[in-house]
Amino acid sequence: MRLSSSTESALQWIVGAFYMQEDLSSTGSFLFGDDSGAFGYLDGGAPAVFLVLDDYEQKIESLALFAHTTYQATEKLKFTLAGRLSRDKRKLDQDFYNYDGFGTYIDPRTADPYDVRPSDVVDLSGVENVKHDRTWEFWSGRVGVDYQIDRDKLVFASVSRGVKSGAFNTAAFIDVAEINAVDPEKLVAYEAGAKTEWFDRRLRVNGSVFFYKVDGYHQKVVNQFGQELLAPADDVEFRGFEIEARAVPVPHLVLELAAGWSEGEYKDFLSPNDTGGFDQLAGKTVPYTDRWDVSAKASYAWTTPQGGLLEPMFEYSYLQGAFSEETNTPKDVTLAPEAKTDDIHLVNLRLFYTLPGDQLRLGVFVNNVFEEDGVLRRTPLDIFGNSLSVYAAPRTVGVSIGASF
């Protein structure tokens, strides 16, 4: 529900209220085993299949009051002030199978491995229930200023406070202690930038710099035994910049370039380690930051004699490798000797044809033309003697059809 100003005065405002209620339920399982009998045998001689199963219900209720105002002080100068008061309530009721570690099994003769249910569990000694009931109240807001230098150039700056609600970690795998709750993540963001157009608007260049200070940063920590822990980092800082440009140097030719760099640094973070204690990671780099992200695109559109539009397109992207672990060192050099993921260079080719009337667009494409196969994310796990890695998508060839009415 919202109310807004209806006049064209210098002061514009919106006030309102928001309410949301959500009921979530999930059953997730992980199976490990084969016909070798590595986990023993059940009555009748069938090999046991090791099971990790999480079955939970979560209820979320959120209420907020908000207001947003802008004030056009002069023809070129505008101020923004916004605020929000929120109250979030979450309840979790979760059954975890495997709290005693590798002690829960299913019978592969009767259970569907693609739809495991709690009733399929053979050994119930590994079942435990966890309940959480938390309520959080917090506020967020923004103060900003825009200055329109001329018709084609605007500069801006803002200070914002944002809050990410508290959460429960439902991704338990080894130990029931993984099912924990963390308080809201609070962010203070400083940003400044410009939006500009040049050469009769044939060139557009936008850019911004930012600095974020985060209290209670929600960091997922996966140790080498497979435990997934949600650990709050007390003090984290992020900094970086982004720039994007779009040029039309000659009619029908469009060139685009975007580049960004960001870095996150722990200022105070007691991180759970593999021995049951904690490590102070102050000064370490937040995983998957301190990296460049660059993309470029070029396209040219021809009008055919029949009135259609033929548009070849070239795309390039570069993603710099980054630390994959919060410690900035490999968890196990025998499984993953590199502390950082790979640099990824991708080239995509596309060809589109829009039929006369602009209602139907046909396309063919080739993604990852040169079959780049670098690692995007990596988590070594001693428990399985290997690493869980996410690779760049393989070369993909396809067609697309788009329609507008």
Side-chain angles (χ1 to χ4, degrees):
M1 178 183 69
R2 63 179 61 192
L3 299 173
S4 62
S5 54
S6 58
T7 63
E8 295 184 359
S9 64
L11 180 64
Q12 298 290 307
W13 54 266
I14 299 174
V15 296
F18 168 85
Y19 177 78
M20 184 270 291
Q21 182 174 331
E22 188 173 16
D23 293 335
L24 305 175
S25 61
S26 174
T27 300
S29 61
F30 179 89
L31 302 179
F32 192 69
D34 52 30
D35 293 334
S36 66
F39 295 102
Y41 293 87
L42 301 172
D43 293 339
V49 177
F50 161 62
L51 166 73
V52 173
L53 188 146
D54 290 287
D55 183 45
Y56 72 82
E57 293 183 353
Q58 185 172 181
K59 297 182 181 297
I60 304 172
E61 189 175 41
S62 180
L63 175 65
L65 302 175
F66 61 88
H68 183 277
T69 63
T70 60
Y71 179 66
Q72 194 75 43
T74 69
E75 184 178 352
K76 295 185 175 183
L77 183 63
K78 182 173 72 173
F79 295 96
T80 299
L81 177 64
R84 179 184 179 108
L85 298 174
S86 301
R87 182 180 186 273
D88 286 357
K89 183 177 180 62
R90 290 174 178 255
K91 289 185 177 182
L92 177 70
D93 185 349
Q94 180 164 346
D95 289 326
F96 176 63
Y97 298 72
N98 188 40
Y99 81 93
D100 57 353
F102 298 99
T104 305
Y105 304 95
I106 64 170
D107 187 339
R109 297 168 298 183
T110 58
D112 181 356
Y114 299 104
D115 187 22
V116 179
R117 299 295 176 181
S119 57
D120 296 324
V121 175
V122 174
D123 172 18
L124 293 177
S125 65
V127 181
E128 190 163 49
N129 177 264
V130 177
K131 288 183 172 66
H132 286 299
D133 188 345
R134 302 289 293 273
T135 299
W136 296 285
E137 296 179 349
F138 47 88
W139 67 273
S140 56
R142 179 177 183 270
V143 177
V145 57
D146 297 349
Y147 185 75
Q148 191 82 45
I149 299 173
D150 56 35
R151 186 189 70 161
D152 297 328
K153 300 177 184 65
L154 178 142
V155 293
F156 62 89
S158 67
V159 179
S160 305
R161 186 182 195 267
V163 180
K164 179 180 179 181
S165 184
F168 304 136
N169 181 29
T170 59
F173 181 67
I174 297 297
D175 196 306
V176 71
E178 298 170 72
I179 309 173
N180 67 321
V182 293
D183 289 329
E185 177 183 293
K186 302 171 184 177
L187 161 75
V188 177
Y190 305 87
E191 184 177 7
K195 299 179 180 180
T196 66
E197 292 183 322
W198 308 80
F199 309 117
D200 198 23
R201 299 192 172 182
R202 288 186 289 115
L203 173 64
R204 178 189 304 151
V205 181
N206 300 331
S208 65
V209 295
F210 62 85
F211 175 78
Y212 300 158
K213 193 168 184 62
V214 186
D215 177 18
Y217 179 70
H218 294 177
Q219 178 66 64
K220 178 62 73 69
V221 177
V222 181
N223 66 25
Q224 61 180 332
F225 304 110
Q227 291 177 303
E228 296 189 18
L229 308 170
L230 192 56
D234 288 339
D235 188 0
V236 182
E237 293 181 355
F238 295 87
R239 59 191 66 85
F241 70 88
E242 298 174 340
I243 187 169
E244 58 181 21
R246 184 181 188 273
V248 186
V250 297
H252 312 300
L253 175 64
V254 179
L255 305 176
E256 298 181 36
L257 176 67
W261 175 86
S262 64
E263 178 191 38
E265 180 184 354
Y266 298 118
K267 293 297 183 179
D268 184 8
F269 180 28
L270 289 175
S271 174
N273 58 32
D274 294 338
T275 62
F278 295 88
D279 295 326
Q280 176 54 262
L281 299 184
K284 298 293 186 180
T285 299
V286 177
Y288 305 106
T289 68
D290 189 16
R291 69 194 318 184
W292 283 91
D293 188 349
V294 180
S295 63
K297 182 167 68 174
S299 63
Y300 192 92
W302 281 284
T303 301
T304 66
Q306 295 78 22
L309 195 67
L310 187 65
E311 183 181 13
M313 184 179 297
F314 169 86
E315 296 177 339
Y316 166 78
S317 64
Y318 164 69
L319 184 63
Q320 184 181 10
F323 290 117
S324 58
E325 304 295 336
E326 65 282 351
T327 58
N328 298 173
T329 57
K331 278 189 168 66
D332 189 331
V333 295
T334 63
L335 300 179
E338 301 297 330
K340 292 188 175 183
T341 56
D342 299 326
D343 292 348
I344 305 293
H345 300 264
L346 296 179
V347 173
N348 303 327
L349 298 177
R350 309 183 188 281
L351 179 63
F352 297 103
Y353 179 68
T354 304
L355 274 65
D358 296 332
Q359 290 187 320
L360 189 63
R361 192 187 198 205
L362 310 176
V364 295
F365 63 86
V366 182
N367 292 337
N368 195 1
V369 174
F370 299 107
E371 294 190 287
E372 180 81 21
D373 60 355
V375 174
L376 293 170
R377 304 184 74 87
R378 178 190 293 118
T379 302
L381 298 174
D382 277 358
I383 191 173
F384 298 129
N386 60 18
S387 291
L388 299 180
S389 299
V390 177
Y391 290 82
R395 179 192 293 162
T396 306
V397 179
V399 298
S400 64
I401 301 176
S404 58
F405 303 97

